[in-house]
Amino acid sequence: GKFRVLGLVMDVSAHKLAELELARRRESLGLASEAAGLSVWTWEPEQDTLSVDDRFADWVGLPAGERRLTLSEWEALLHPEDRGRLMAEAGELLAGGLDSFDSTYRLRRPDGGWRWVM
């Protein structure tokens, strides 16, 4: 019999350009954060996870290769005096009451001391 091939073509140029721009921005952010001594993390509330970079992992002493924390694991790293305020700000951000927030707080170091971060 005869073969027929049906093909569909979609113009995804705008999507590809957006992907490339996002990759470029991530690379720029990574380079800038490295130069400035910053740590980069991503919070995904729906999955209850924080993805952190190598610098953050070193700051708090995560095991080698471990770069994901649950919110409760991150919360446990916070100084008790800072925890309530930060969790309230995070809740307000999720509820739409804040677009962003800047906070200075303490994270537990691997040696049990505290590291001030902003």
Side-chain angles (χ1 to χ4, degrees):
K2 289 185 176 179
F3 285 99
R4 287 180 46 185
V5 176
L6 173 63
L8 298 173
V9 177
M10 182 184 335
D11 184 350
V12 294
S13 298
H15 179 73
K16 280 298 182 187
L17 287 174
E19 281 181 355
L20 291 171
E21 178 63 15
L22 182 59
R24 187 189 65 74
R25 287 182 183 194
R26 282 185 178 147
E27 182 179 354
S28 294
L29 179 60
L31 291 171
S33 66
E34 183 67 30
L38 302 173
S39 172
V40 178
W41 53 267
T42 304
W43 179 27
E44 300 172 56
E46 307 83 36
Q47 283 84 36
D48 185 39
T49 60
L50 263 77
S51 300
V52 300
D53 64 6
D54 291 343
R55 179 170 281 130
F56 185 96
D58 289 343
W59 284 350
V60 299
L62 293 180
E66 185 65 38
R67 299 295 175 261
R68 285 176 121 20
L69 299 166
T70 65
L71 188 59
S72 60
E73 289 169 335
W74 175 77
E75 191 177 350
L77 295 170
L78 300 174
H79 192 283
E81 293 174 9
D82 303 329
R83 190 175 296 138
R85 174 179 47 85
L86 268 147
M87 297 312 290
E89 288 171 339
E92 196 170 342
L93 184 70
L94 282 179
L98 293 175
D99 291 331
S100 66
F101 66 90
D102 295 322
S103 288
T104 301
Y105 57 95
R106 291 161 282 188
L107 285 172
R108 188 177 55 240
R109 296 190 321 229
D111 66 5
W114 299 98
R115 176 184 309 274
W116 281 97
V117 297
M118 183 174 92

